[in-house]
Amino acid sequence: MKKIGIIGGSGLENITSLKFYGEEFIETPYGRPSCKYKIYKNSDVIVYSLSRHGDDHRFAPHQINYKANIYGFYQAGVQEILSFSAVGGINLNYKNGDLVLTDDAIDNTVRGNVTFYDRTGYVVHIDMSLPFCPSLRLKLKESADLCGIDLIDKGIYICTNGPRFETPAEIKMYRNWGADMVGMTLFPEVTLSKEMGICYANISLVTNAAAGVEENRKLTSDEVIEEAKRNTLKISKIIEQYLK
Ligand code: HPA
């Protein structure tokens, strides 16, 4: 039976078309994942869903045990991961509520020890020419189209360390680098998934204009979470269609 993983933020646990089957705590050699995996089933698919920030949004981006989260999926036998993230829009055409099917990314984090290949004497450089799984991206785009939900078909995500938001000057620089959107969690999630041979794709939800894009405006994490919640239904619909 096919096993699919979903990583999301708050409010993404309700995958209504599938039957909730229970929760599983998966202990890994890398420690504890952010929380228990919620399990959903139908006749030919099992879904393992994980809240990246844990229950009650308790882990900030730099505190997440990314290795445990991804290894937990691997131990469960998950072959593909659909990842969903909140981002700030850098691209001036983006507006709140836009969904972007990420096609490339820049790692600007300063996290250490974030590879499964950290054994001395065994050097592996994984290929990142295609950072996101092409077949999964295609299927997600088809699913969005089928349910009439606009999904921007490409965009470059820059990942910062967090947990603070960026300065306007940083955002200007990131735009010059070619980034369309900014978030704090894509790396090392995407690279660790690749290392484990798991097909990974990301849909980013624009929750706010990045710092300095709108003049004299402050940004709060509450508004990010509220905007994410307002758009949860669109994301669940894409997932439901994808699982049909
Ligand atoms: N910056 C970084 N991460 C984010 C943002 C942002 O503006 N919005 C949502 N996640």
Short mmCIF file of all heavy atoms in Angstrom, two decimals, residues 86-88 165-166 182-184 207-208 210 219 224, ligand 1:
data_model
loop_
_atom_site.label_atom_id
_atom_site.label_comp_id
_atom_site.label_asym_id
_atom_site.label_seq_id
_atom_site.Cartn_x
_atom_site.Cartn_y
_atom_site.Cartn_z
N ALA A 86 4.28 28.45 5.30
CA ALA A 86 3.89 29.86 5.22
C ALA A 86 5.14 30.65 4.82
O ALA A 86 6.23 30.38 5.31
CB ALA A 86 3.38 30.33 6.58
N VAL A 87 4.96 31.61 3.94
CA VAL A 87 6.10 32.43 3.51
C VAL A 87 5.71 33.90 3.41
O VAL A 87 4.54 34.24 3.27
CB VAL A 87 6.65 31.99 2.12
CG1 VAL A 87 7.28 30.62 2.18
CG2 VAL A 87 5.56 32.05 1.05
N GLY A 88 6.73 34.75 3.43
CA GLY A 88 6.54 36.16 3.14
C GLY A 88 6.80 36.37 1.65
O GLY A 88 7.72 35.78 1.09
N PHE A 165 12.08 37.77 11.96
CA PHE A 165 11.81 38.13 10.58
C PHE A 165 12.99 38.93 10.02
O PHE A 165 13.91 39.28 10.76
CB PHE A 165 10.52 38.96 10.48
CG PHE A 165 9.27 38.13 10.73
CD1 PHE A 165 8.40 38.46 11.77
CD2 PHE A 165 8.96 37.05 9.93
CE1 PHE A 165 7.24 37.71 12.00
CE2 PHE A 165 7.81 36.29 10.16
CZ PHE A 165 6.97 36.62 11.19
N GLU A 166 12.95 39.23 8.75
CA GLU A 166 14.07 39.86 8.07
C GLU A 166 14.02 41.38 8.18
O GLU A 166 13.00 41.96 8.53
CB GLU A 166 14.06 39.46 6.57
CG GLU A 166 14.09 37.97 6.33
CD GLU A 166 12.79 37.25 6.71
OE1 GLU A 166 11.71 37.82 6.50
OE2 GLU A 166 12.88 36.13 7.26
N VAL A 182 10.09 34.14 1.15
CA VAL A 182 11.02 33.83 2.24
C VAL A 182 10.30 33.07 3.36
O VAL A 182 9.17 33.39 3.72
CB VAL A 182 11.69 35.13 2.78
CG1 VAL A 182 10.65 36.14 3.26
CG2 VAL A 182 12.69 34.83 3.89
N GLY A 183 10.97 32.03 3.83
CA GLY A 183 10.45 31.26 4.94
C GLY A 183 11.62 30.76 5.79
O GLY A 183 12.78 31.09 5.51
N MET A 184 11.31 29.96 6.80
CA MET A 184 12.36 29.57 7.74
C MET A 184 12.55 28.07 7.90
O MET A 184 13.34 27.65 8.76
CB MET A 184 12.05 30.17 9.13
CG MET A 184 11.89 31.67 9.14
SD MET A 184 11.44 32.23 10.80
CE MET A 184 11.07 33.95 10.50
N THR A 207 1.64 34.49 3.27
CA THR A 207 0.82 34.97 4.38
C THR A 207 0.98 36.47 4.62
O THR A 207 0.22 37.08 5.36
CB THR A 207 1.18 34.24 5.69
OG1 THR A 207 2.59 34.35 5.89
CG2 THR A 207 0.77 32.78 5.63
N ASN A 208 2.01 37.05 4.01
CA ASN A 208 2.30 38.47 4.26
C ASN A 208 3.30 38.98 3.23
O ASN A 208 3.99 38.18 2.60
CB ASN A 208 2.91 38.63 5.66
CG ASN A 208 4.19 37.82 5.83
OD1 ASN A 208 4.13 36.60 6.05
ND2 ASN A 208 5.33 38.46 5.69
N ALA A 210 6.78 40.48 2.57
CA ALA A 210 8.02 40.43 3.36
C ALA A 210 8.41 41.84 3.83
O ALA A 210 7.90 42.84 3.30
CB ALA A 210 9.13 39.81 2.51
N LEU A 219 5.38 43.50 11.11
CA LEU A 219 4.90 42.15 10.85
C LEU A 219 4.87 41.38 12.16
O LEU A 219 5.80 41.46 12.97
CB LEU A 219 5.88 41.48 9.86
CG LEU A 219 5.63 40.04 9.47
CD1 LEU A 219 4.25 39.90 8.83
CD2 LEU A 219 6.70 39.58 8.49
N VAL A 224 0.69 36.03 10.53
CA VAL A 224 1.12 34.92 9.66
C VAL A 224 0.23 33.70 9.90
O VAL A 224 -0.31 33.10 8.97
CB VAL A 224 2.61 34.58 9.93
CG1 VAL A 224 3.00 33.26 9.28
CG2 VAL A 224 3.51 35.71 9.42
N1 HPA B 1 9.71 35.83 6.69
C1 HPA B 1 10.13 34.60 7.06
N2 HPA B 1 9.32 33.58 7.28
C2 HPA B 1 8.01 33.78 7.09
C3 HPA B 1 7.48 35.02 6.70
C4 HPA B 1 8.38 36.10 6.48
O1 HPA B 1 7.99 37.23 6.14
N3 HPA B 1 6.14 34.88 6.63
C5 HPA B 1 5.86 33.59 6.94
N4 HPA B 1 6.99 32.91 7.23
#
